[in-house]
Amino acid sequence: MPISHRLLAVSVAVMWGLNFIAIHASLEQFPPFLLAALRFAVIAIPTILLVPRPKVPVRWLLGYGLGFGTLQFLFLYWGMAVGMPTGLASLVLQSSAPFTVLLGATLFRERVSPRQLVGLSVATLGLAVVGWSQAQAAAFGPFLLVLAGGFGWAIGNVSSARAKAPNPLHLTLWMSVVPPLPMLALSLFIEGPDAIARAFAPSPQMLPALLGLAYTVLIGTLAGSGVWTWLMARHPAGVVAPFSMLVPVVGLSASAVLLGEQIEATTAAGAGLVIAGVLWGARRRVTTTRTPEPLIPSPTPTPAPPRSTAGAPRTR
């Protein structure tokens, strides 16, 4: 993987890490279910009008949209709205990696290597440590909500892989067509028309909220997912995927600097275990194949026989 492509992968991690700051700003104005509906409706409308539908089975398109788009952001936004710290949310959402391995193994009999099993165990231990520390801080409910968002992301991962789309970017765009209607229905039923009306009323938080929504759509979704899809099409998944573990590093750092969030030592230890476990499980063992030396040495060239002198004149 050339250095320019590595820098692109790092840039995507930065885009996605800062995306949690943008979500935090938007949640100051919009209720979580309405915000999720708006996020995907902004992408879905031009997608339907301009982008051809990918030639994949409908069940996998729906599975991708319901898992990655609906369930992930339903629980992520809900968890952040009721108290999950922004930086910690970026970490717990990485639970999608072990969940993806488990779903692939249980539903589709995908082989789990010993390396993946060790990484999965370490990451799960790290999540347990983070969950325990959040339970001590009376934030266990939001932690479980974001954990459920990671499970939704895993459903989307499995569905996306099974779709085998000839153009993955078109699949990503058409995934955004699925979430708006169910998310809007949830917003009307749970948050209510009054909360929706108040969300569009002028306030000091409106401009930062709209800027956060614009960042989430243009940078977090279109630019970030577009570059990521481009990289995944050119390199093995095991080479590209570990760069996503930089997302919680950026999210935790940006939340500490911009929002003043602090991380306890126990939570930091659990975060380290999660990152180490996912990186170890995603790492590919590289083996070099050497050309074996011949056991029998090459035969020495046989010297040419002496030239015959028959018929030559004799010397006196």
Side-chain angles (χ1 to χ4, degrees):
M1 190 175 185
I3 186 65
S4 59
H5 292 190
R6 293 176 185 270
L7 291 175
L8 282 175
V10 171
S11 72
V12 174
V14 173
M15 293 179 205
W16 286 349
L18 295 177
N19 196 38
F20 288 86
I21 305 296
I23 293 171
H24 173 84
S26 297
L27 287 171
E28 294 292 312
Q29 177 72 21
F30 298 103
F33 301 152
L34 176 63
L35 178 60
L38 290 174
R39 169 181 180 158
F40 288 103
V42 171
I43 304 174
I45 294 173
T47 294
I48 293 174
L49 296 175
L50 302 174
V51 179
R53 190 177 77 82
K55 296 179 180 180
V56 300
V58 175
R59 65 181 182 277
W60 298 126
L61 175 60
L62 291 176
Y64 188 23
L66 291 174
F68 183 88
T70 306
L71 294 179
Q72 177 186 188
F73 292 101
L74 184 157
F75 290 113
L76 172 64
Y77 285 12
W78 188 3
M80 292 178 65
V82 297
M84 186 66 173
T86 303
L88 203 55
S90 69
L91 169 73
V92 176
L93 199 64
Q94 299 302 316
S95 60
S96 64
F99 279 142
T100 300
V101 174
L102 287 175
L103 286 177
T106 55
L107 297 180
F108 302 105
R109 299 293 188 268
E110 294 180 357
R111 181 179 175 273
V112 180
S113 67
R115 180 183 293 273
Q116 287 178 311
L117 192 59
V118 171
L120 176 64
S121 302
V122 173
T124 302
L125 176 61
L127 287 171
V129 172
V130 173
W132 179 82
S133 65
Q134 290 303 295
Q136 305 304 307
F140 190 59
F143 167 79
L144 289 179
L145 287 173
V146 179
L147 195 66
F151 185 74
W153 188 357
I155 295 174
N157 285 341
V158 172
S159 300
S160 175
R162 293 283 156 178
K164 301 185 184 302
N167 189 324
L169 182 57
H170 286 185
L171 178 64
T172 300
L173 291 174
W174 269 87
M175 172 275 301
S176 66
V177 176
V178 178
L181 290 180
M183 295 304 299
L184 183 59
L186 280 174
S187 180
L188 286 169
F189 182 72
I190 297 177
E191 295 163 345
D194 292 339
I196 295 175
R198 287 194 302 270
F200 291 100
S203 73
Q205 291 80 25
M206 176 61 82
L207 181 58
L210 291 177
L211 290 175
L213 179 60
Y215 181 96
T216 301
V217 172
L218 298 176
I219 307 299
T221 301
L222 296 181
S225 297
V227 173
W228 192 258
T229 301
W230 186 86
L231 289 171
M232 292 287 279
R234 285 160 176 78
H235 302 284
V239 174
V240 180
F243 283 92
S244 68
M245 290 312 301
L246 295 174
V247 173
V249 176
V250 176
L252 288 165
S253 302
S255 299
V257 173
L258 300 177
L259 304 177
E261 294 182 357
Q262 296 181 351
I263 303 174
E264 297 180 355
T266 306
T267 303
L273 287 173
V274 173
I275 294 174
V278 175
L279 282 176
W280 179 260
R283 183 183 172 191
R284 302 183 70 187
R285 176 175 293 179
V286 179
T287 56
T288 57
T289 303
R290 297 179 58 188
T291 303
E293 297 180 1
L295 298 178
I296 303 175
S298 300
T300 304
T302 304
R307 188 174 178 183
S308 174
T309 58
R314 292 183 178 184
T315 304
R316 292 183 181 267

